[in-house]
Amino acid sequence: MPLPLYLLAVAVFAMGTSEFMLAGLLPDIASDLDVTVGTAGVLTSAFAIGMVVGAPFVAAVARNWPRRSSLIGFVLAFATAHAVGAVTTSFPVLFATRVVAALADAGFLAVALTAAAALVPPDKKGRALAVLLSGTTTATIAGVPGGSVLGTLLGWRATFWAVAALCLPAALGILKGIPAGRTKEQMTGGPALRAELAQLARQRLLLVMLLGALVNAATFAGLTFLAPVVTDTAGLGELWISVVLVLFGIGAFAGVTVAGRLSDQRPGPVIAVSGPLLLIGWPALAVLAGEPAALLALVFVQGALSFALGGTLITRVLYEAAEAPTMAGSYATAALNVGAAVGPLIAATTLGTTAGNLGPLWSSGFLVAVALLIAFPLRTVIAAGPSTEALE
């Protein structure tokens, strides 16, 4: 894989750390800015909504900009938002910086996904996506726990400064590694924006976007509410929360790496194996969560299966949107973040039921079941290898 892919992954690591880090910082932010924890929690919603709305909007605005300039601009805007957030004493200003950061993140990821696909041969998009997504999984393994420790030792503002600092080497790497100038599509005119948006009327594209969103919703439904499962259901200490999150991240890294090598030419076996196993795994985790050893093992497995299946489906989005070369990344980004926003909302509704802390895990199983029920009648379409037009 070309070096620029790994440079893009560094920026994705910084952005992934920012997206997930607030879970451990909200009490300190609330206390420092004199708001309730519930009010501080809207910072997470602001980021998710900004990602969903921002991906297609920012990608459409930036579609004719040189990719290197766009990527650097988004990274620097992201860094600036975190620097402002680190010094502000106003909650509304902090809220605004999260929206700006989300828009920059969405724009970066939309362009980066398209750029990553363009850096490799047409039949290697899955491997390129795996490298890019490794930035997110590494953020789960190292960035989020590290940010939590830094926030505990030096305060939540230090974590914001650290994320801003991570963006600087990423920007330098992009400056050195991504070719300057416009792409071939931009130089020759390429398809009009209307034509690229018209691809959203294609049923195959909408199907894989829906399935990718459902699987990611299942992932974040369970992941978001793992902490009380660890401390209350399994009876482990609070330090074990970080251990469980790291295990999930290691599994996710393994899953996306293995699936990335198969999802280009053999997506069918990845979907056929990981889908049913993922469906079994979430209820199994709910049933066995009281046993610490089973909890730790299943969290790793679910991380691997979730990212193997989710990554493969998002790769299919890039293939199915091959006729939308400047917007394909935004379609994949929107699908991922619709799931990330909707999944925790669905899971939260189960906390007040008799299922209690285990409700989110059952909801994850339900979301995977819905995805498989939709996918099964159309499995030959979804599992098809790279389409002819994708390889042209």
Side-chain angles (χ1 to χ4, degrees), residues 72-121:
I72 292 175
F74 288 134
V75 169
L76 293 180
F78 189 83
T80 301
H82 282 75
V84 173
V87 299
T88 187
T89 57
S90 167
F91 182 78
V93 172
L94 182 60
F95 181 90
T97 66
R98 295 305 288 170
V99 174
V100 171
L103 291 173
D105 189 355
F108 178 87
L109 192 55
V111 176
L113 283 167
T114 306
L119 287 170
V120 297

Side-chain angles (χ1 to χ4, degrees), residues 13 101 151 177 231 271 360:
F13 168 77
T231 56
I271 295 170

